[in-house]
Amino acid sequence: MTNAAYRRAQLESLVEAQGGCRAAPQLLLKADPYFDLAGEEFGRRLLLTSDLTGAEYCLRPDFTLPIVTDYIAQGAGAPAAFSYLGPIFRQRDDGPAEFDQAGIELLAQPDGDIALDQVLTFARAALSLYGVTPQVKLGGVGMFEALLAQADMPDAWRSRIRHRFGHTEAMDRLLTRLEQAPATQRSEQPSRDELVEDVTARMVSAGLSLSDGRSPAEIADRYLEQQALDAAHVPTSTLKLLRDYFAIKGDALDALRQVEALADAHRLFLGPPMKAIRRHLDGLGEARVTFDASFSPRLDYYTGIVFEMRGQGGTVLVSGGQYDRLLERLGATAPIAASGCALWVDRLEAEWPK
């Protein structure tokens, strides 16, 4: 039997063995990027403070964002590898708000598949230090985006459906709404200028401020956008396709065969993302691997393959995947491939046989 200190030392060695740069971002970071990228739900987990000007800061809630931000500031483009092990700070339903995470981030690597292989290998090696043979869940963000791009629907709905991918309840509500919406003929709409003028007059008449809150132009644009969506009918066959796709989950090989059959039935070409997932299955060893067509982190900068590794009790121990859109969202001027994962060290230690 080994003790916790020895396991921690082994994990330190594994992190160091990844090569590249051992990252140690500042503990106090600007909070706005987290709200912009992860939304209010994640924002409620932040430990916040403000400076004398009123600008909001937070104690470091993860390593990925500051690592990527610094990489861009240093002149993004060259291949880079980062590893880390240290404290992060998030409010949790159980456990202390300060806890350790370990992980790697591989940026601008020449082969994205090889980079993801390294990420998966690192994650499995870390779990093996704690005696864990994980249950692995894979998701295919790229596969769903390929399906969505080919599905028969008005373009106005594609981004809204994509935005809800990974939000199971929100997606179900949206599909239910579309299933219940009758096909309607779009009536004649006033011009934008006429609508802005009408909204302005109504706000002035009601004694409402034109500068506090949404402006007349913003209200008019939102109204016209909603009218266009209401008139854009999504075919029943497409909604059934989405329902059938999201229902696919289970043993990875069986699930992928179901995806192939569904794609064939609807004449969809999902070959490249399907091939990528099958390739990575070969490198996951003895782990039990499932595929869930509806699974994705609730962040729209993830792109290709995403994954979670769970312990025997179902607790998420590692999560990660490919997130090629993040660097552009943070200011990079060109697409940059990125893969990485984060390990919950306290959860790993709790898996050790007592």
Side-chain angles (χ1 to χ4, degrees):
M1 295 291 287
T2 59
N3 59 32
Y6 178 72
R7 291 189 290 275
R8 173 67 178 232
Q10 287 184 306
L11 183 58
E12 285 273 5
S13 297
L14 178 64
V15 169
E16 289 290 343
Q18 301 310 302
C21 174
R22 177 73 179 266
Q26 293 181 332
L27 289 179
L28 196 62
L29 303 168
K30 291 183 178 179
D32 284 348
Y34 287 100
F35 285 109
D36 293 341
L37 289 168
E40 292 294 330
E41 182 178 352
F42 185 82
R44 288 193 292 270
R45 303 282 184 179
L46 301 180
L47 296 174
L48 297 167
T49 187
S50 58
D51 64 13
L52 294 176
T53 69
E56 276 196 314
Y57 289 81
C58 62
L59 287 174
R60 182 177 67 208
D62 84 329
F63 280 85
T64 302
L65 193 59
I67 286 173
V68 169
T69 301
D70 186 61
Y71 171 75
I72 294 171
Q74 298 299 318
F82 300 91
S83 61
Y84 59 85
L85 173 56
I88 65 169
F89 304 85
R90 297 183 198 175
Q91 299 186 67
R92 298 194 286 179
D93 296 331
D94 56 352
E98 177 184 349
F99 51 97
D100 284 347
Q101 278 197 341
I104 58 173
E105 311 292 345
L106 305 179
L107 310 178
Q109 300 297 310
D111 190 315
D113 278 340
I114 292 176
L116 183 57
D117 278 340
Q118 183 178 341
V119 170
L120 291 167
T121 299
F122 168 77
R124 289 180 57 227
L127 267 60
S128 70
L129 297 177
Y130 291 82
V132 177
T133 300
Q135 304 171 44
V136 182
K137 179 165 73 171
L138 297 178
V141 177
M143 183 180 291
F144 175 67
E145 290 181 346
L147 179 149
L148 191 62
Q150 298 172 64
D152 178 19
M153 70 175 67
D155 287 340
W157 280 110
R158 295 187 203 277
S159 63
R160 285 160 179 79
I161 292 174
R162 169 62 185 90
H163 183 66
R164 288 163 177 79
F165 184 49
H167 301 242
T168 304
E169 293 181 1
M171 181 69 80
D172 180 66
R173 288 195 298 269
L174 177 60
L175 295 181
T176 299
R177 170 190 164 189
L178 292 173
E179 288 162 347
Q180 296 173 349
T184 58
Q185 188 77 22
R186 187 177 181 184
S187 60
E188 187 68 25
Q189 296 292 332
S191 70
R192 181 180 183 276
D193 289 343
E194 291 173 332
L195 193 56
V196 170
E197 184 177 343
D198 181 58
V199 172
T200 301
R202 290 173 182 269
M203 291 177 69
V204 170
S205 176
L208 300 175
S209 171
L210 300 179
S211 57
D212 295 339
R214 288 194 296 170
S215 69
E218 290 172 327
I219 294 172
D221 288 341
R222 176 62 179 139
Y223 172 80
L224 292 172
E225 178 186 33
Q226 191 59 52
Q227 290 297 301
L229 284 173
D230 289 343
H233 179 65
V234 180
T236 300
S237 59
T238 300
L239 295 173
K240 184 177 187 307
L241 164 65
L242 293 173
R243 291 284 194 190
D244 290 345
Y245 180 76
F246 292 139
I248 295 174
K249 61 187 65 178
D251 174 79
L253 290 176
D254 289 342
L256 292 176
R257 282 192 285 268
Q258 292 179 55
V259 173
E260 286 179 328
L262 187 66
D264 289 343
H266 290 267
R267 298 182 179 180
L268 303 174
F269 179 60
L270 304 180
M274 181 79 67
K275 183 178 179 181
I277 294 173
R278 288 185 181 279
R279 179 189 177 282
H280 290 290
L281 285 177
D282 295 337
L284 287 170
E286 299 177 357
R288 177 175 178 267
V289 185
T290 61
F291 176 81
D292 184 342
S294 66
F295 167 59
S296 172
R298 298 173 69 168
L299 299 164
D300 66 4
Y301 53 74
Y302 280 90
T303 49
I305 297 171
V306 292
F307 70 91
E308 287 180 344
M309 295 186 181
R310 296 174 178 261
Q312 294 305 307
T315 302
V316 176
L317 306 176
V318 190
S319 60
Q322 297 168 311
Y323 53 92
D324 295 358
R325 273 190 289 265
L326 176 58
L327 283 89
E328 284 186 278
R329 292 281 301 274
L330 291 173
T333 57
I336 296 176
S339 297
C341 71
L343 298 83
W344 300 71
V345 179
D346 60 338
R347 295 178 181 177
L348 281 171
E349 184 58 39
E351 292 284 320
W352 184 256
K354 298 299 187 286

